[in-house]
Amino acid sequence: MLHFTVISIFPHMFDSALGGSILKRAQEKNLIRIDTVDLRDYASDRHRTTDDTPYGGGQGMVMKPEPLVSAIEHARQHAPRARVILLSPRGSVFTQSTVRRVAQEESLVLICGRYEGVDERVSAFVDEEISIGDYTLSGGEPAALVVIDAVARLLPGVLGNENSAAEESFSEGLLEYPQYTRPENYRGMKVPEVLLSGDHQRIKAWRAEQSLQLTRERRPDLLAASPMATEQIRSSDSRAPVYLALLHHPVYDKNGAIVTTAVTNMDIHDIARAGRTYGVRRFFVVTPVKPLQKLALKIINHWEFGYGSDYNPTRKEALALARICDTLDDGIISIEQETRRKPLIVATSARHSEHRTSFVAVKEMLHRETRPFLILFGTGWGLTEATLSQADYVLEPIEGRTEFNHLSVRSAAAIVLDRLLG
Ligand code: 4GY
C-alpha cells in the first residue's frame, strides 16, 4: 500500500479527480491511500493566513513557511519514512524513471505551491522538488495529480491487467506503435494488412519497427537515451542515403576566376573518414585533370590495396567510400545508377544570400525523404554560382560564435555532417 498525503490550500480540487474509476478502485482495494490536507488548518492566525507579501518587494504573494512546515512535520509524525516532494517548475523533470523510483516508496507527501512561490526556507524540509514540465501552472495541484496517477498505475493490481513489465522490453523508452480496432476499413482508411495476418512474429516485428520509426521522427532525443542496442537502432534506419562530392572544378579562386584546384591528401582522407563515421554511402572527388585524378587514385589505392591497407585497416575502410570522377554530372549519374533515383542536390557555401536553407530544414528533409541526397563541397574559394543554381538547396553558411569564417573544406564537411546526420 502506497500512502499519499497531499498538502494544498484547495484540497477539494482532488475530490472528483481521485473519485474517478481507476484511482477510486485502487483506494477501495487498499492498494493506495490518499489523504488530502488543508494547509489552512496549519495556519496560526484567526484568518488562517498561508501567504504574505515578498521581502524585497514585487508582484503577488509568497507562501509562508510556518503553516507549510507544520503540515510537513505533522505528516512526518504519522509516516516517519515519508518522502516529501514539492511540486515546482524548478524541480527535476518528472519522467517514467522518476515514476518507477518513487513507486518504490511506502509514503509520499506532495506539497502543492500557489501564488508567486513558496518561501525558500521550506526547501530545508523537503526531500526533492519535481516539475511535471516546463510551463507554469497556477498551482501545484494538477502536478500532484499527475504524479499520483502515474505512480499508482505502476503498482501491482491497480490496472486491470497484472502489470506485465515483460511486455515492455522492446518498446522501453520508445513511443508507442499505432493501434487499430474495428472497423477494418474506416472512411477508406484501412487497418495495415499485417495486423490482420494472425502472424504474431510479423506483427511483433512490425510494431517494433513502427515504434522505432516514430521515435526517430518525432522524439530523436528519446532514442539517444533508449536502452536499445545502438546497432539495432542503426540497422533499422531507412533514411535517405547520403553522398558527398568534393569539387576541384569548377570553383572560384580568390579573385573570383573559375579555376581547378589541386587534389590534397588531407581533404580526401579526412572527408572520407568523417563520411564513414556518419554513414555516408559514397564520396566523389571531382576533378577533370588527369594527373590530379592519378594522384587522387594513388592516395585512395594506397590505403585500399597498397601497403597502407595492412598498415591501417580502418583508414582503408573509410577510403573505400571515395571515387574519382571527371565532372559532377558523372557523380550524379553513378548515384542514379546505384539508387535508380535522382539525388536531391544540397550545395554548401560560406557566402550569405537569400535562398539559403537552414541545417534544421535539410535535416528534416533527410528524415522524410527516401530520395538520395548529394551534398556538394567546393575547394578553393568555393562553388560557382552556376553550380549553386544547379542545386536543389544551398545550405546556410556555418556560423560559429564570431564573424571569422574561414574554415577548411574538411572542417566544414565534418560540421555539416554532424549537423545533418549527427
Ligand atoms: N510545472 N511542475 C509545476 C507548477 C505552479 C507558483 C510554485 C510544474 O510542477 N509544478 O507550475 N506549479 C507553481 C506556482 C508556486 C508552484
Side-chain angles (χ1 to χ4, degrees), residues 87-89 113-118 130-133 135-140 143:
L87 284 314
S88 149
R114 277 269 155 184
Y115 315 116
E116 259 39 67
V118 177
I130 288 180
S131 164
I132 61 160
Y135 36 76
T136 311
L137 303 170
S138 41

Side-chain angles (χ1 to χ4, degrees), residues 301-330:
N301 283 350
H302 172 70
W303 296 100
E304 187 139 44
F305 307 111
Y307 167 70
S309 60
D310 289 329
Y311 170 72
N312 190 336
T314 53
R315 197 174 294 198
K316 165 182 168 170
E317 194 181 324
L319 281 168
L321 291 184
R323 292 289 180 281
I324 296 148
C325 48
D326 286 329
T327 64
L328 176 58
D329 284 338
D330 289 344

Side-chain angles (χ1 to χ4, degrees), residues 191-204:
V191 174
E193 177 275 325
V194 55
L195 299 179
L196 312 173
S197 68
D199 182 340
H200 295 292
Q201 200 86 10
R202 255 182 83 212
I203 294 172
K204 203 172 156 210

Side-chain angles (χ1 to χ4, degrees), residues 190-416:
K190 297 200 181 82
V191 174
E193 177 275 325
V194 55
L195 299 179
L196 312 173
S197 68
D199 182 340
H200 295 292
Q201 200 86 10
R202 255 182 83 212
I203 294 172
K204 203 172 156 210
W206 181 83
R207 287 178 164 167
E209 184 58 28
Q210 292 289 314
S211 270
L212 196 53
Q213 299 292 15
L214 260 177
T215 311
R216 207 196 309 283
E217 277 170 38
R218 298 193 189 171
R219 295 292 307 278
D221 58 310
L222 293 182
L223 265 196
S226 144
M228 250 181 86
T230 9
E231 217 13 77
Q232 203 178 352
I233 293 172
R234 242 182 237 155
S235 64
S236 71
D237 191 345
S238 63
R239 277 183 294 190
V242 174
Y243 294 79
L244 305 182
L246 179 66
L247 270 71
H248 291 90
H249 180 87
V251 291
Y252 291 127
D253 73 1
K254 63 176 175 225
N255 302 313
I258 294 173
V259 296
T260 301
T261 58
V263 165
T264 81
N265 199 322
M266 273 202 284
D267 286 338
I268 297 180
H269 280 156
D270 288 1
I271 296 174
R273 288 155 82 175
R276 178 67 185 82
T277 306
Y278 288 87
V280 162
R281 276 288 176 85
R282 206 165 288 302
F283 164 40
F284 298 103
V285 179
V286 181
T287 175
V289 182
K290 294 294 168 196
L292 290 175
Q293 288 191 359
K294 257 181 124 167
L295 172 62
L297 204 62
K298 217 172 132 183
I299 293 169
I300 294 166
N301 283 350
H302 172 70
W303 296 100
E304 187 139 44
F305 307 111
Y307 167 70
S309 60
D310 289 329
Y311 170 72
N312 190 336
T314 53
R315 197 174 294 198
K316 165 182 168 170
E317 194 181 324
L319 281 168
L321 291 184
R323 292 289 180 281
I324 296 148
C325 48
D326 286 329
T327 64
L328 176 58
D329 284 338
D330 289 344
I332 295 173
I333 288 165
S334 93
I335 296 171
E336 286 174 3
Q337 283 170 345
E338 195 172 297
T339 65
R340 310 190 161 281
R341 309 196 61 177
K342 273 202 188 318
L344 274 159
I345 299 177
V346 178
T348 58
S349 170
R351 285 185 297 276
H352 284 276
S353 143
E354 27 174 1
H355 315 305
R356 294 291 190 252
T357 309
S358 70
F359 284 95
V360 172
V362 174
K363 188 178 179 127
E364 290 228 318
M365 278 186 252
L366 281 163
H367 282 285
R368 270 183 281 112
E369 270 289 338
T370 50
R371 272 171 74 180
F373 277 68
L374 172 59
I375 308 175
L376 307 183
F377 296 96
T379 54
W381 265 251
L383 298 171
T384 63
E385 283 306 320
T387 305
L388 295 185
S389 64
Q390 195 193 334
D392 296 284
Y393 304 97
V394 181
L395 265 174
E396 63 186 337
I398 294 168
E399 302 263 21
R401 296 171 149 240
T402 66
E403 76 300 333
F404 185 88
N405 100 326
H406 303 282
L407 291 168
S408 68
V409 68
R410 55 187 190 280
S411 295
I415 293 168
V416 166

Side-chain angles (χ1 to χ4, degrees), residues 71-269:
I72 293 168
E73 281 173 343
H74 187 252
R76 278 204 202 275
Q77 268 166 23
H78 289 271
R81 288 205 287 245
R83 187 161 184 82
V84 178
I85 296 171
L86 173 66
L87 284 314
S88 149
R90 298 200 315 202
S92 53
V93 178
F94 191 57
T95 65
Q96 194 61 26
S97 89
T98 326
V99 178
R100 283 191 293 264
R101 173 169 59 80
V102 301
Q104 306 294 314
E105 300 288 338
E106 60 176 57
S107 181
L108 295 172
V109 176
L110 303 177
I111 303 167
C112 306
R114 277 269 155 184
Y115 315 116
E116 259 39 67
V118 177
D119 186 288
E120 191 61 33
R121 292 163 293 187
V122 172
S123 61
F125 301 84
V126 163
D127 295 313
E128 100 178 86
E129 292 189 30
I130 288 180
S131 164
I132 61 160
D134 294 336
Y135 36 76
T136 311
L137 303 170
S138 41
E141 286 78 5
L145 283 169
V146 166
V147 171
I148 294 170
D149 187 278
V151 170
R153 67 183 286 289
L154 279 199
L155 304 175
V158 170
L159 294 185
N161 56 343
E162 210 33 59
N163 280 312
S164 50
E167 221 216 297
E168 291 200 287
S169 65
F170 175 86
S171 59
E172 179 79 44
L174 301 185
L175 300 182
E176 280 297 321
Y177 49 79
Q179 297 273 24
Y180 296 86
T181 184
R182 272 176 283 273
E184 208 177 298
N185 183 333
Y186 178 66
R187 300 196 179 188
M189 295 178 281
K190 297 200 181 82
V191 174
E193 177 275 325
V194 55
L195 299 179
L196 312 173
S197 68
D199 182 340
H200 295 292
Q201 200 86 10
R202 255 182 83 212
I203 294 172
K204 203 172 156 210
W206 181 83
R207 287 178 164 167
E209 184 58 28
Q210 292 289 314
S211 270
L212 196 53
Q213 299 292 15
L214 260 177
T215 311
R216 207 196 309 283
E217 277 170 38
R218 298 193 189 171
R219 295 292 307 278
D221 58 310
L222 293 182
L223 265 196
S226 144
M228 250 181 86
T230 9
E231 217 13 77
Q232 203 178 352
I233 293 172
R234 242 182 237 155
S235 64
S236 71
D237 191 345
S238 63
R239 277 183 294 190
V242 174
Y243 294 79
L244 305 182
L246 179 66
L247 270 71
H248 291 90
H249 180 87
V251 291
Y252 291 127
D253 73 1
K254 63 176 175 225
N255 302 313
I258 294 173
V259 296
T260 301
T261 58
V263 165
T264 81
N265 199 322
M266 273 202 284
D267 286 338
I268 297 180
H269 280 156

